[in-house]
Structures are given as structure tokens and as C-alpha cells.
Amino acid sequence: MNTLDFAPLFRSAIGFDRMARLAETARAAAEGSSYPPYNIEKTGEDSYVLTMAVAGFGPEDIDVVAHENTLTVSGKAPQAQADNGRVLYRGIAGRAFERRFVLADHIVVEGADLQHGLLHVALRRQVPEALKPRKIAIQSGAPKAIQNEGPAVQQAA
């Protein structure tokens, strides 16, 4: 079974179209190319590092773009150097690539670094203060009456 049918879900639920797109993207990625290889590491409670093996690519050959909830890492093929017939076997790929990663809510890209043929992309979860849980202090003593600042409503007796 290569496709998932979300039609029954869409008949009774609203806003789950994003889930369908995520499932389709994951399925397409599983069938797609595995170049370049990569690791995703959790380096802290709210921090991650994406490491991609991009041997032969320089910083000018690679683009890292974060847009909405998608991180796209693409590389254009480096300029071919004349090998004058000296290369007997070319096992280091130098072809163009594009990898897309779906980012969870509140994940931001902090930066990217290229060292020794490895591209490291630092990611961090930054939940806005308004969405973080907050502890409510409990007061002891007599309860305070809540004042209604709206117009007084008279009750019929």
C-alpha cells in the first residue's frame, strides 16, 4: 500500500490536512534518495543538531533555508575540476541535492557550520512565554470577592 486515504478523517475533522501532508512527505522521503547521509542528534532538553555529510561542497555551494515549519538544505554541484584522466574511480558524490525536514512548532534554526565535510545545523525549541505553563500562587486567608465591573444586573425576587 503506497498511499494513505485520509478522506474519512476529513469528513468529520477540521484542520487535520497538515497531518496528511506530513504523512505524505514522510512517505515520499522514505522512497526518495538517501543522499547526502545525515544524523539528527538531541544535544539538550530543547536543542538538536542536524549533521549532513557534504564532502566536496563549500559554504558557497550550500543553502540552508527555514520557511514556516520546513527546513530545506540544498547544494548545487561544485564546479568540476579537470582531472586530466587521473581519476580511476569517483566514489565521492558531487551531485546537487535537496533535503527537506519538517520542523515541529517553535523550532528555530540558530545557525549552520561547515567543518571537515560535515554541515552542522543547530536547532532549538523556543516556546513563547505566553504558551509556557505558569504556576499560580495560592493565597491563604479570607477569599477576596471578585468585582464585576460591568453594569449591575438586577434579579427578580
Side-chain angles (χ1 to χ4, degrees):
M1 180 177 187
N2 289 339
T3 61
L4 298 172
D5 182 18
F6 287 100
L9 177 66
F10 294 149
R11 282 193 290 257
S12 61
I14 299 171
F16 285 88
D17 54 329
R18 182 170 181 255
M19 182 182 70
R21 279 185 309 207
L22 289 173
E24 182 60 28
T25 301
R27 186 191 62 77
E31 293 176 357
S33 171
S34 62
Y35 176 76
Y38 63 92
N39 293 336
I40 300 174
E41 302 171 60
K42 186 169 185 170
T43 58
E45 186 175 328
D46 290 326
S47 59
Y48 304 86
V49 173
L50 166 67
T51 303
M52 298 182 78
V54 291
F57 289 85
E60 65 280 354
D61 302 321
I62 300 172
D63 288 324
V64 179
V65 177
H67 180 66
E68 294 178 357
N69 285 0
T70 304
L71 172 67
T72 304
V73 180
S74 57
K76 58 183 179 205
Q79 296 295 328
Q81 298 177 359
D83 58 14
N84 297 329
R86 295 181 302 176
V87 177
L88 301 178
Y89 172 75
R90 187 171 305 278
I92 300 174
R95 63 183 184 263
F97 66 88
E98 181 175 284
R99 281 273 193 182
R100 293 182 185 268
F101 301 91
V102 177
L103 301 176
D105 292 336
H106 313 299
I107 297 287
V108 295
V109 178
E110 291 191 320
D113 184 36
L114 182 63
Q115 293 182 6
H116 307 293
L118 296 175
L119 174 67
H120 304 280
V121 180
L123 306 156
R124 178 171 300 281
R125 180 186 330 270
Q126 291 183 345
V127 179
E129 288 296 323
L131 297 178
K132 289 182 181 177
R134 59 187 179 118
K135 186 162 176 85
I136 308 300
I138 300 174
Q139 304 291 325
S140 63
K144 296 180 181 179
I146 298 175
Q147 298 293 326
N148 186 359
E149 296 183 16
V153 177
Q154 297 179 352
Q155 292 181 330

